[in-house]
Amino acid sequence: NHQVAGLENHYTGAIPVEDVRSRLFNFELLRASATFMAGEHITTDPNRIGVMRSDTGDVLGVFKSSYQIHQYDEWLVRSVENLLDDSDVKIGSAGLLRNGAQAWVEIGSDTLQKHSDFEYRVSLLAATSCDGSLATQYRTEVSATVCDNTLAIATREGRSFKTRHTTNSRLKIQNAREVLGLLDNLSDDFASYLDGMTGLAVTDEQWYKFLDEYVPLPEDAGRGQTMAQNKRDSLNDFYFHNDMVRDWSGTAFGVMHAVNTYEHHGASVRGASRAERNWSRMATGASSASDSDVLNALNKVLV
């Protein structure tokens, strides 16, 4: 099943393109004058603009006048629509975050890949924003079907195309096509990654040394120590006992997968739903940064 984020709608197959348009991207992003009030005085800044939703009038961002709006339908739907015509890739998810200030469309094949008893799916993520938080981007992703995690560390650098919201920005669909073409090879690359990570043994002693590197326990008692200990306890539980992870415990992949799964399913969430937080981490690349931190800490232990 696939869910259009923000709406209680599930699909047994691919999400129809027109549903993405009508349910999510059914408004325009408008340029508005940037007007400011200081006391009783109102002034308009000719060097600034606001970005406003056409349906609600909500202002989602304020920028220099050179800012180029990237309409969601144009950059996220039309940009990938012709890629869907003659291939088996379909829209698997799409959504809006931050009251519509961030948006994404994810396309991929319905065919699951399996290697080392680990099922996964490769996909292309197209994402953008109108609040300054994201450049428009197209990048490849690998997701674990057992827990729906994004395994960013497993994808090589260079599997992405970005363009900023500048006056001269334009839709370079050829670049996006090149990224999509990498999906054919990404599955094999990920299988090689799994071979290397599952073949690298991690003893229990090295696991606890990893925790000391990744979540050091403050010496002084207090809130910081309590939070660190709680996180360590949760990571231990995911690594040794969680059904989504424990089959790979004792390997470097098990360490990566335990932390990634904890961040996706167990970490504390404030100010948003867990689903919104997870989609935001994927769109902004926060999950990739987290995976890099895990690998750096693990390398220190295994040296």
Side-chain angles (χ1 to χ4, degrees):
N1 290 337
H2 304 287
Q3 181 176 6
V4 179
L7 296 173
E8 293 302 322
N9 292 313
H10 292 72
Y11 295 78
T12 56
I15 301 175
V17 172
E18 288 309 315
D19 277 22
V20 176
R21 284 197 169 104
S22 64
R23 292 181 177 273
L24 291 175
F25 306 151
N26 55 0
F27 59 90
E28 288 188 82
L29 300 171
L30 305 177
R31 293 172 69 93
S33 299
T35 302
F36 303 92
M37 176 176 290
E40 297 181 355
H41 301 284
I42 300 176
T43 182
T44 298
D45 186 347
N47 298 315
R48 309 284 287 182
I49 65 158
V51 178
M52 182 175 68
R53 286 184 61 148
S54 63
D55 56 345
T56 64
D58 292 340
V59 176
L60 304 179
V62 178
F63 305 93
K64 293 181 179 179
S65 57
S66 59
Y67 182 84
Q68 182 72 26
I69 296 174
H70 291 175
Q71 300 290 345
Y72 296 157
D73 181 61
E74 176 185 1
W75 287 80
L76 302 184
V77 179
R78 276 190 277 166
S79 64
V80 300
E81 191 171 15
N82 60 337
L83 305 180
L84 305 176
D85 293 338
D86 301 316
S87 67
D88 66 345
V89 294
K90 306 297 179 185
I91 295 178
S93 66
L96 295 169
L97 297 168
R98 299 186 181 182
N99 191 32
Q102 291 180 340
W104 85 87
V105 170
E106 182 190 26
I107 67 172
S109 173
D110 284 337
T111 303
L112 297 181
Q113 308 295 324
K114 187 174 183 179
H115 189 78
S116 298
D117 292 326
F118 187 81
E119 287 190 341
Y120 60 94
R121 179 183 284 110
V122 296
S123 61
L124 173 71
L125 176 73
T128 191
S129 72
C130 62
D131 63 354
S133 60
L134 291 172
T136 297
Q137 56 192 275
Y138 307 87
R139 70 173 187 266
T140 53
E141 300 281 353
V142 174
S143 58
T145 56
V146 68
C147 50
D148 204 29
N149 297 3
T150 298
L151 302 170
I153 195 64
T155 61
R156 295 178 180 174
E157 293 182 2
R159 297 185 184 275
S160 64
F161 161 67
K162 292 184 180 182
T163 183
R164 299 189 179 279
H165 298 257
T166 60
T167 302
N168 295 322
S169 64
R170 59 190 178 88
L171 187 61
K172 300 177 182 178
I173 191 61
Q174 182 177 355
N175 299 72
R177 279 185 178 276
E178 292 170 359
V179 174
L180 180 59
L182 292 173
L183 291 178
D184 293 334
N185 299 321
L186 182 57
S187 180
D188 290 338
D189 291 345
F190 183 68
S192 297
Y193 165 84
L194 277 176
D195 283 338
M197 295 293 281
T198 57
L200 185 57
V202 175
T203 66
D204 288 356
E205 181 182 2
Q206 289 171 324
W207 163 254
Y208 290 115
K209 288 182 177 179
F210 163 77
L211 286 182
D212 290 338
E213 285 286 343
Y214 188 66
V215 192
L217 194 63
E219 293 182 2
D220 296 333
R223 185 170 181 269
Q225 187 186 82
T226 300
M227 292 178 64
Q229 186 61 60
N230 289 342
K231 183 172 182 178
R232 290 164 67 101
D233 291 344
S234 294
L235 288 173
N236 264 321
D237 185 62
F238 271 84
Y239 183 69
F240 288 110
H241 306 297
N242 188 274
D243 290 341
M244 296 180 287
V245 178
R246 63 185 178 188
D247 287 347
W248 296 277
S249 297
T251 70
F253 181 70
V255 175
M256 292 289 304
H257 191 37
V259 179
N260 191 294
T261 306
Y262 161 78
E263 292 291 347
H264 197 82
H265 293 282
S268 298
V269 177
R270 295 181 179 85
S273 69
R274 183 169 297 279
E276 289 172 331
R277 173 187 177 274
N278 289 340
W279 281 115
S280 181
R281 281 172 53 81
M282 179 189 70
T284 61
S287 57
S288 178
S290 175
D291 284 356
S292 295
D293 291 341
V294 173
L295 188 60
N296 289 337
L298 184 58
N299 283 336
K300 292 179 181 180
V301 172
L302 297 181
V303 171

